[in-house]
Amino acid sequence: MKIGLFFGSFNPIHIGHLIIANVMQDRTDLDEVWFVVSPQNPFKKQKSLLHEFDRLKMVELAIADHFYFRASDVEFHMPKPSFTIDTLTYLSDKFPQHQFKLIIGGDNLTHFHKWKNYEQILEHYGLYVYPRPGEKKELIHANIQFVEAPLMDISATFIRESIKNGHSVKYLLPQPVEEYIRDKKLFL
């Protein structure tokens, strides 16, 4: 099978993530999309992240009714911070029957050359890129496929701030995720 890996903090997972994953699975040759919950992104500050198990649980709740989506905690068991190439290598060794592709937003192409072993990612795995506000298609490579998708500008930061300030997040989050956040009093 061909698996698209959608890495993220998912702090929290929101409808923008789900729409992009659905487009990727539906309009490309991907058989499944795996949401890889990153315990610590090397480019993000740790202090703003919920515990990784809460973020994984929210992903599981958000995708529970989608047959082609999976939640992955693979990076929970790897050295931190997590580097994409190390996770890709690990998954390829563990699941040699699968071919893995990396799903990223177009805004990440600007800094992709700063990723650890980015050349190996391009050569051995490849990228499926969805549009993001302000993106520039500066990096062109045979293993980069641009996928037309809705231009999503939904921010987890906006969602967290809304929750903290008592504002509605209806329609921004799947209902089970919103209920989980409310029940556990997260982001307050």
Side-chain angles (χ1 to χ4, degrees):
M1 284 199 304
K2 190 176 282 190
I3 310 296
L5 298 175
F6 196 178
F7 287 77
S9 302
F10 303 116
N11 191 42
I13 189 169
H14 54 68
I15 61 146
H17 297 125
L18 298 171
I19 291 168
I20 293 301
N22 192 62
V23 167
M24 288 292 175
Q25 191 281 316
D26 182 63
R27 298 186 183 198
T28 68
D29 57 353
L30 296 176
D31 297 300
E32 292 183 352
V33 173
W34 293 3
F35 291 78
V36 181
V37 180
S38 300
Q40 181 182 350
N41 180 323
F43 298 109
K44 290 189 178 179
K45 293 180 180 174
Q46 179 71 24
K47 68 176 184 159
S48 65
L49 290 177
L50 286 181
H51 192 278
E52 58 202 38
F53 292 117
D54 283 318
R55 292 182 288 120
L56 178 66
K57 182 64 177 177
M58 287 188 286
V59 170
E60 291 169 345
L61 290 168
I63 67 172
D65 64 348
H66 201 296
F67 183 75
Y68 299 108
F69 291 172
R70 303 280 178 267
S72 174
D73 66 354
V74 63
E75 289 193 338
F76 294 11
H77 315 289
M78 298 179 71
K80 295 171 186 62
S82 334
F83 291 98
T84 303
I85 187 62
D86 298 331
T87 307
L88 286 164
T89 302
Y90 175 82
L91 288 171
S92 294
D93 289 344
K94 186 171 180 179
F95 302 102
Q97 72 277 23
H98 295 326
Q99 180 183 2
F100 293 100
K101 296 287 185 180
L102 184 60
I103 297 171
I104 67 169
D107 54 332
N108 283 316
L109 283 183
T110 306
H111 306 290
F112 188 69
H113 66 281
K114 295 180 182 178
W115 290 26
K116 179 182 175 185
N117 297 16
Y118 78 96
E119 302 98 337
Q120 283 185 315
I121 296 172
L122 283 175
E123 194 61 37
H124 299 292
Y125 302 98
L127 307 177
Y128 283 36
V129 181
Y130 59 91
R132 291 284 292 156
E135 83 175 43
K136 297 175 188 162
K137 294 181 182 176
E138 295 175 1
L139 184 60
I140 305 298
H141 188 280
N143 285 339
I144 297 177
Q145 180 179 336
F146 292 92
V147 179
E148 190 165 333
L151 192 60
M152 304 301 297
D153 195 14
I154 299 172
S155 158
T157 302
F158 176 82
I159 293 169
R160 290 191 304 271
E161 287 297 316
S162 296
I163 293 167
K164 182 179 175 184
N165 293 314
H167 298 295
S168 172
V169 290
K170 189 174 185 71
Y171 307 118
L172 293 171
L173 299 173
Q175 187 174 349
V177 173
E178 185 178 356
E179 290 169 1
Y180 183 83
I181 289 169
R182 187 175 51 247
D183 291 348
K184 292 201 77 172
K185 298 178 176 36
L186 302 176
F187 303 118
L188 296 177

